[in-house]
């Protein structure tokens, strides 16, 4: 699946990285502990988290994730959005909670 | 005036504004007045000393400020001969003498006052800071810094384009810039064209090192030396040192506090994760002295890409 499909299926708001939504996603990491994300070694990764700090974008960039999806309808800090813009890293936000996001993404991945 | 933030300044300037404290730039020869003094008296003080604000004190305690604006209003309102007590500003924004200069600069941007009184730990008035004070001391420090940098640059040999090295200075609890050093490292090395898996290993190791320096150390440096054959990352700090290195190398063991955890870090995965992504890993620590962590990642010729984990 690509990020545009995720946006459509989960009703996401696109906060940054509009031009990179065609990127492919094959793996999902749902995690609020950035230390744990740094151990993930999967390609074509989408990071799902309810954390909204700049470090979320930094961490996603470091592990080469293709996008970030912020759950629970949380609004990321302005600096977080700015950094995502700078790195052209898709930053999405949805009202669904993390579990619901995972269920929906699971369905999409099975298609 | 355009909005100014320090965020995009070169690291040398950022470091300067963090290293310099308010006490280093403030004026300590203060022109003061008391509550019973008339506004006219204060106007004279301003005129003779060519200043635009006078702190009002009781002993060493700051109780108010009178600015040129207050004087103009007093002249306009016909109460220039009143004691300043009822006309001074009492809602004051103050700086503390041990705050970093960067905070002082942000205050000028945020509050649009011409000057800020400075208090010490015991809440006594010890100085006053104007934007002119900041400008002067920054220029002086920058001169020193530039001389220092020029000395450093002079003897350097020319670096071949496929190699890259740099040293980053990192400060305790400077979360605002956390990740920018490793972000730069990743970007620079990516431009050299490297296998994405190895690029990720370098990025992860440098990010973990950077976070460790910010979260746990009293400050230090992160050094990177990249050649087509290998990348060496080295984190050196000035303390406090690790009591039990074996424990620190255990996954899940952490000394981080709740605040750090709330930012998504401090899970006790840092050092083990650096070791995991490294081909060679070295750690040495002495309590009271500091810690050295070194990671080497080799870049085998493209055909035989294998990842050994030590």
């Amino acid at each position: 699946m690509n990020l545009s499909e995720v946006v459509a299926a989960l009703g996401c708001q696109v906060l940054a990285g509009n031009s990179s939504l065609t990127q492919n996603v094959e793996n999902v990491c749902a995690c609020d502990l950035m230390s744990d994300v740094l151990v993930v070694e999967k390609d074509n990764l989408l990071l799902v988290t309810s954390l909204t700090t700049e470090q979320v974008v930094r961490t996603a960039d470091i592990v080469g994730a293709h996008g970030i999806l912020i759950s629970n309808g949380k609004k990321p800090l302005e600096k977080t959005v700015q950094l995502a813009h700078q790195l052209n890293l898709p930053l999405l936000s949805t009202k669904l909670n993390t579990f619901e996001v995972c269920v929906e993404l699971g369905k999409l991945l099975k298609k | 005036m355009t909005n100014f933030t320090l965020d995009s300044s070169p690291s040398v300037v950022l470091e300067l504004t963090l290293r310099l404290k308010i006490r280093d730039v403030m004026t300590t020869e203060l022109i003061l007045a008391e509550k019973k003094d008339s506004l006219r008296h204060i106007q004279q003080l301003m005129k003779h000393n060519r200043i635009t604000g006078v702190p009002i004190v009781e002993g060493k305690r700051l109780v108010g400020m009178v600015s040129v604006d207050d004087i103009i209003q007093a002249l306009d309102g016909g109460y220039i001969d009143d004691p300043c007590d009822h006309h001074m500003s009492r809602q004051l924004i103050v700086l503390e003498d041990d705050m970093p200069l960067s905070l002082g600069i942000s205050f000028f941007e945020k509050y649009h006052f011409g000057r800020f009184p400075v208090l010490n730990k015991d809440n006594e008035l010890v100085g006053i800071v104007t934007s002119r004070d900041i400008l002067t001391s920054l220029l002086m420090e920058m001169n020193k810094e530039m001389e220092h940098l020029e000395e450093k640059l002079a003897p350097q040999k020319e670096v071949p384009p496929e190699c890259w090295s740099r040293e980053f200075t990192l400060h305790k609890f400077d979360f605002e810039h956390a990740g920018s050093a490793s972000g730069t490292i990743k970007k620079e090395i990516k431009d050299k064209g490297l296998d994405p898996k190895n690029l990720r290993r370098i990025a992860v190791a440098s990010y973990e090192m950077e976070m460790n320096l910010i979260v746990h150390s009293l400050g230090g440096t992160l050094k990177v030396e990249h050649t087509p054959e290998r990348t060496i990352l080295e984190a050196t700090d000035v303390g406090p040192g690790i009591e039990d290195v074996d424990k620190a190398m255990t996954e899940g063991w952490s000394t981080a506090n709740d605040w750090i955890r709330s930012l998504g870090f401090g899970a006790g995965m840092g050092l083990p994760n650096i070791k995991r992504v490294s081909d060679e890993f070295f750690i040495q620590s002495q309590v009271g002295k500091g810690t050295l962590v070194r990671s080497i990642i080799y870049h085998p010729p493209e055909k035989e890409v294998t990842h050994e984990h030590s």
Side-chain angles (χ1 to χ4, degrees):
Chain A
M1 62 179 177
N2 70 23
L3 287 168
S4 306
E5 293 172 60
V6 175
V7 172
L10 278 73
C12 298
Q13 201 187 341
V14 182
L15 304 167
N18 226 329
S19 59
S20 301
L21 291 181
T22 47
Q23 296 225 59
N24 195 25
V25 171
E26 284 166 12
N27 293 293
V28 175
C29 172
C31 193
D32 287 343
L33 200 53
M34 294 304 111
S35 305
D36 282 348
V37 179
L38 288 168
V39 185
V40 175
E41 272 195 340
K42 286 178 173 154
D43 292 325
N44 304 331
L45 188 72
L46 174 65
L47 172 61
V48 179
T49 183
S50 61
L51 211 63
T52 56
T53 62
E54 252 178 292
Q55 300 312 321
V56 172
V57 182
R58 291 278 183 208
T59 306
D61 176 47
I62 291 294
V63 298
H66 281 184
I68 303 162
L69 175 48
I70 293 179
S71 58
N72 291 333
K74 285 198 186 168
K75 211 174 167 286
L77 309 173
E78 200 177 309
K79 285 203 163 168
T80 309
V81 180
Q82 270 175 14
L83 185 63
H85 263 300
Q86 233 175 54
L87 298 168
N88 197 17
L89 188 62
L91 181 64
L92 316 176
S93 151
T94 173
K95 286 186 179 144
L96 303 183
N97 68 36
T98 306
F99 175 72
E100 290 163 338
V101 169
C102 292
V103 171
E104 292 304 319
L105 289 177
K107 285 182 202 161
L108 277 178
L109 281 170
K110 268 190 191 157
K111 269 186 190 171
Chain B
M1 204 172 91
T2 48
N3 277 354
F4 176 77
T5 62
L6 285 165
D7 290 7
S8 51
S9 301
S11 59
V12 178
V13 177
L14 281 177
E15 195 202 319
L16 254 178
T17 61
L18 285 168
R19 191 179 67 211
L20 284 177
K21 304 292 179 217
I22 295 294
R23 74 165 68 85
D24 301 323
V25 306
M26 68 186 186
T27 305
T28 50
E29 283 162 23
L30 300 173
I31 312 295
L32 305 169
E34 292 180 3
K35 286 199 285 194
K36 63 174 174 27
D37 292 330
S38 71
L39 289 163
R40 189 176 296 281
H41 170 71
I42 294 170
Q43 184 213 346
Q44 293 299 318
L45 284 179
M46 288 180 176
K47 195 175 160 192
H48 292 310
N49 297 292
R50 294 185 179 187
I51 52 175
T52 55
V54 174
I56 312 301
V57 292
E58 263 174 5
K60 285 182 177 175
R61 257 175 46 81
L62 176 73
V63 291
M65 284 286 281
V66 172
S67 69
V68 167
D69 276 353
D70 297 323
I71 298 290
I72 292 171
Q73 278 187 27
L75 286 167
D76 200 30
Y79 53 84
I80 190 73
D81 288 313
D82 280 13
C84 65
D85 192 6
H86 299 297
H87 305 295
M88 64 188 186
S89 318
R90 289 167 188 276
Q91 304 263 330
L92 301 178
I93 309 286
V94 299
L95 289 164
E96 282 172 36
D97 61 351
D98 63 350
M99 285 174 172
L101 178 58
S102 57
L103 201 73
I105 294 172
S106 70
F107 267 42
F108 277 99
E109 180 59 36
K110 198 167 162 189
Y111 297 110
H112 300 284
F113 289 130
R115 71 210 69 74
F116 291 101
V118 182
L119 306 185
N120 67 9
K121 263 200 305 233
D122 302 320
N123 267 331
E124 296 165 348
L125 179 70
V126 290
I128 197 160
V129 171
T130 63
S131 36
R132 187 196 165 94
D133 294 330
I134 291 185
L135 201 63
T136 314
S137 37
L138 260 185
L139 277 175
M140 274 163 56
E141 283 299 315
M142 270 195 213
N143 273 345
K144 275 192 228 162
E145 201 68 29
M146 288 307 288
E147 277 171 16
H148 181 63
L149 282 176
E150 277 174 4
E151 273 170 31
K152 254 188 171 172
L153 278 175
Q156 243 177 32
K157 280 177 278 172
E158 224 170 85
V159 183
E162 65 273 20
C163 299
W164 184 72
S165 64
R166 191 178 288 181
E167 194 174 308
F168 298 86
T169 306
L170 297 164
H171 300 274
K172 184 185 167 103
F173 293 160
D174 181 18
F175 273 101
E176 213 178 311
H177 303 104
S180 55
S182 26
T184 308
I185 292 174
K186 188 189 169 191
K187 193 180 161 296
E188 290 285 341
I189 293 182
K190 189 182 179 188
D191 291 345
K192 306 280 172 221
L194 193 71
D195 160 52
K197 284 222 161 66
N198 265 14
L199 181 65
R200 179 155 69 194
R201 293 165 70 203
I202 295 164
V204 167
S206 62
Y207 190 51
E208 295 276 19
M209 283 181 177
E210 185 177 4
M211 291 311 288
N212 274 348
L213 285 169
I214 288 166
V215 170
H216 296 295
S217 86
L218 301 171
T221 56
L222 177 61
K223 220 162 67 183
V224 55
E225 207 189 287
H226 172 80
T227 70
E229 291 78 40
R230 49 107 189 105
T231 304
I232 303 177
L233 292 160
E234 205 172 89
T236 325
D237 67 47
V238 293
I242 302 171
E243 256 176 54
D244 188 334
V245 173
D246 286 341
K247 261 191 188 166
M249 288 304 301
T250 312
E251 285 191 8
W253 191 87
S254 173
T255 56
N257 60 29
D258 287 347
W259 175 60
I260 291 157
R261 286 169 203 259
S262 76
L263 291 163
F265 289 89
M269 300 295 288
L271 286 172
N273 201 20
I274 298 172
K275 187 175 177 185
R276 187 180 63 86
V277 297
S278 305
D279 291 319
E280 275 181 42
F281 176 85
F282 175 80
I283 179 165
Q284 188 179 40
S285 188
Q286 201 179 342
V287 174
K289 286 268 168 75
T291 303
L292 164 75
V293 179
R294 186 186 300 126
S295 157
I296 306 180
I297 292 162
Y298 291 108
H299 313 308
E302 263 174 45
K303 278 180 188 168
E304 33 181 319
V305 175
T306 54
H307 298 301
E308 306 158 31
H309 297 273
S310 59

